[in-house]
């Protein structure tokens, strides 16, 4: 049924690790910020082309969008620079586990406090268990790296 | 090393904050346009940082092998796949499938030292870590499924 799409997502997830694996050595050679620029520069150019040649809803009112919703672009570089800095030191797997840990804790906070206009919801016990498992995974990779 | 670990965790937090912000923006202006805006702002910010803070390096983006510049393609392919797949398979499966792919491939890259990375031996600690991630995935899947059930 949807097995094809699940397979596609797994492949796409592998692509994300590939991206991280490419960034580390690239950053060592040309500088971490330049490596970051290669991601955002190429990405912006490609997206511009995609937008140009695919049908888009006509933009009504960029003005009416709250300004804080336009700030996502400031956060992206933090992530990419951190990737280029950490993969040479931690390896790709450990970096990914750290990122996962950060994502899960932050989504807790976002859900719990209702930040960024998301609906508030109670923390589910299962998610706390998931967080515990990820912390454990980080600990294991840390021990394994020594 | 601990400092770098903290940095990577903070990066994950930034990523999830960005996802929340972009989700809101995407509902208004569409996924492609919100991503385009993110990447454009990211390009400008990075360019500013380079002007003022980047020390000179011997190699440049123009002299390294071209395949090293392909990173952005994977990010965009991921975005397109998610846009196409989430309505069909749901967020719960999509999240788990993404992390599964990330973990498997990162282990392969680390162990075999692909893409010019220093190889890292696959020891029992790392296998145990993957087992823990697998447990986390089961929990995330179940929690997300409950969520979707409630939303229906």
């Amino acid at each position: 049924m949807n097995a094809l799409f699940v397979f596609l997502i797994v492949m796409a997830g592998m692509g994300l690790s590939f991206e991280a694996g490419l960034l580390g050595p690239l950053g060592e050679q040309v500088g971490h910020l330049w490596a970051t620029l290669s991601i955002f520069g190429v990405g912006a150019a490609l997206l511009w082309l995609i937008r140009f040649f695919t049908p888009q809803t006509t933009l009504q009112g960029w003005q009416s969008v709250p300004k804080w919703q336009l700030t996502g672009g400031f956060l992206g570089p933090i992530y990419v620079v951190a990737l280029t800095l950490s993969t040479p030191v931690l390896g790709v797997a450990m970096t990914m586990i750290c990122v996962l840990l950060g994502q899960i804790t932050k989504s807790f906070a976002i859900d719990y406090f209702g930040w960024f206009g998301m609906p508030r919801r109670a923390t589910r016990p299962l998610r706390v268990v998931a967080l515990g498992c990820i912390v454990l995974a980080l600990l294991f990779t840390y021990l394994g790296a020594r | 090393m601990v400092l770098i670990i903290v940095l990577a965790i903070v990066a994950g937090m930034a990523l999830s904050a960005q996802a929340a912000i972009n989700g809101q923006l995407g509902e208004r202006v569409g996924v492609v346009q919100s991503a385009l805006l993110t990447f454009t702002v990211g390009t400008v910010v990075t360019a500013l940082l380079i002007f003022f803070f980047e020390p000179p390096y011997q190699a440049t983006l123009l002299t390294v092998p071209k395949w090293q510049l392909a990173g952005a393609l994977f990010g965009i392919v991921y975005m397109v796949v998610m846009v196409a797949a989430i309505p069909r398979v749901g967020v719960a499966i999509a999240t788990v499938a993404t992390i599964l792919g990330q973990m498997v491939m990162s282990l392969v890259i680390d162990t075999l030292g692909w893409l010019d990375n220093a190889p890292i031996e696959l020891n029992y600690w790392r296998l145990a870590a993957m087992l823990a991630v697998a447990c986390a995935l089961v929990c995330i899947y179940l929690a997300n499924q409950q969520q979707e059930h409630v939303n229906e």
Side-chain angles (χ1 to χ4, degrees):
Chain A
M1 50 171 235
N2 290 318
L4 177 69
F5 280 94
V6 175
F7 176 71
L8 277 178
I9 300 177
V10 173
M11 295 303 284
M14 289 181 166
L16 293 184
S17 285
F18 249 93
E19 184 176 349
L22 281 166
L23 271 170
L26 183 63
E28 304 267 274
Q29 289 172 59
V30 303
H32 303 291
L33 288 170
W34 280 110
T36 307
L37 186 72
S38 83
I39 295 289
F40 283 102
V42 174
L46 282 177
L47 282 166
W48 187 81
L49 286 173
I50 292 174
R51 191 193 75 138
F52 203 68
F53 287 108
T54 54
Q56 297 291 332
T57 47
T58 37
L59 269 193
Q60 346 139 357
W62 275 105
Q63 303 302 321
S64 70
V65 177
K67 293 297 174 213
W68 65 264
Q69 287 193 357
L70 305 180
T71 56
F74 290 96
L75 297 168
I78 297 179
Y79 171 68
V80 181
V81 170
L83 274 191
T84 67
L85 283 171
S86 66
T87 49
V89 181
L90 304 181
V92 183
M94 196 166 170
T95 302
M96 285 302 179
I97 291 173
C98 290
V99 168
L100 202 56
L101 180 60
Q103 278 179 299
I104 294 181
T105 25
K106 185 71 178 200
S107 345
F108 269 143
I110 292 174
D111 279 351
Y112 188 79
F113 296 108
W115 284 342
F116 309 117
M118 301 300 251
R120 285 181 69 152
R121 27 172 120 101
T123 309
R124 288 176 180 284
L126 269 174
R127 286 183 203 270
V128 181
V129 179
L131 185 63
C133 292
I134 301 285
V135 172
L136 214 57
L138 180 57
L139 190 71
F140 286 160
T141 47
Y142 182 76
L143 290 171
R146 287 195 313 170
Chain B
M1 185 167 181
V2 174
L3 190 71
I4 297 279
I5 292 177
V6 172
L7 178 75
I9 294 175
V10 170
M13 293 180 175
L15 194 63
S16 105
Q18 187 204 35
I21 295 175
N22 276 8
Q24 304 263 313
L25 183 65
E27 272 176 28
R28 269 176 213 252
V29 302
V31 178
V32 172
Q33 302 199 104
S34 87
L36 176 59
L37 183 87
T38 309
F39 274 79
T40 311
V41 174
T43 309
V44 173
V45 170
T46 316
L48 274 175
L49 289 174
I50 287 175
F51 277 139
F52 290 104
F53 297 112
E54 185 81 318
Y57 280 77
Q58 216 143 50
T60 71
L61 285 178
L62 298 177
T63 57
V64 295
K66 298 302 173 198
W67 59 264
Q68 290 200 321
L69 305 179
L73 298 180
F74 294 106
I76 301 222
V77 167
Y78 174 73
M79 195 192 80
V80 171
V81 168
M82 289 302 259
V83 168
I86 282 185
R88 293 182 175 83
V89 302
V91 179
I93 293 181
T95 310
V96 170
T98 301
I99 300 173
L100 184 70
Q102 277 180 305
M103 285 303 146
V104 170
M105 189 43 81
S106 59
L107 263 197
V108 172
I109 294 175
D110 276 350
T111 310
L112 302 178
W114 278 2
L115 311 171
D116 281 354
N117 286 285
I120 300 174
E121 190 199 352
L122 183 64
N123 52 27
Y124 287 115
W125 285 116
R126 287 173 78 83
L127 286 175
M130 286 305 138
L131 202 64
V133 172
C135 292
L137 283 183
V138 172
C139 295
I140 293 172
Y141 175 73
L142 291 174
N144 282 357
Q145 226 185 15
Q146 284 174 3
Q147 196 87 59
E148 278 168 23
H149 198 65
V150 169
N151 289 348
E152 282 162 14

